[in-house]
Amino acid sequence: MEPGERWSMRVDEGVLVVEFPHGTGISPAAGEALLDRWRSLIVDRDVEAIVIAVRTSRPCSDAGRRALRESTQIAVARGVERFAVVGERSKRQYLERTIATEDIAVEAFNDVATAVRWAGSSTEPPTSLRSSP
């Protein structure tokens, strides 16, 4: 976790896992710090997939939306094609809509462990939650 930030990032066997715990908000400065950390991990590591886990119930700020869109563009430019989103249904749907492009597969999950397994396995068929309540 970055000093002064509530979000965390780690690379787990080719999967970049980004977690936003309860109460996380993204200010413009926090958005820039998040993008800087994201860039360094994407460039310095062999990242094949991304898992974004949002536990906060706070609405996404303009800075958060900007960081999410830019981070997706950075990942796609580096060849990442698989994104997993984790959170409550409304958060998963928001994340899917915000990062969706024709160049990537986006799947929704209820827990980080399942999302990481899917993201790290290029042969495992997706288990989407789109039709679940």
Side-chain angles (χ1 to χ4, degrees):
M1 191 172 293
E2 296 296 299
E5 304 299 339
R6 295 195 45 129
W7 45 267
S8 66
M9 287 189 202
R10 70 182 187 281
V11 177
D12 184 6
E13 296 184 19
V15 177
L16 175 60
V17 180
V18 184
E19 296 189 68
F20 299 92
H22 291 289
T24 302
I26 303 292
S27 66
E32 287 303 317
L34 187 144
L35 282 170
D36 288 344
R37 180 71 176 139
W38 182 285
R39 278 185 199 98
S40 70
L41 288 173
I42 293 285
V43 170
D44 294 343
R45 309 278 176 95
D46 185 21
V47 174
E48 298 173 6
I50 311 286
V51 172
I52 301 172
V54 177
R55 305 266 186 253
T56 185
S57 58
R58 293 177 69 167
C60 191
S61 65
D62 289 341
R65 277 187 289 281
R66 181 179 157 271
L68 184 57
R69 286 186 186 113
E70 286 189 34
S71 59
T72 301
Q73 292 169 354
I74 291 165
V76 169
R78 301 291 297 180
V80 175
E81 297 176 345
R82 295 166 63 89
F83 283 72
V85 294
V86 179
E88 295 176 3
R89 185 177 181 166
S90 62
K91 289 293 182 184
R92 290 191 314 254
Q93 290 171 334
Y94 174 80
L95 291 168
E96 286 179 289
R97 283 191 312 270
T98 303
I99 67 176
T101 71
E102 63 186 48
D103 301 329
I104 62 172
V106 180
E107 292 295 327
F109 296 88
N110 286 324
D111 66 274
V112 173
T114 304
V116 169
R117 276 194 306 277
W118 173 83
S121 170
S122 61
T123 59
E124 185 175 329
T127 308
S128 178
L129 294 176
R130 281 186 189 88
S131 61
S132 341

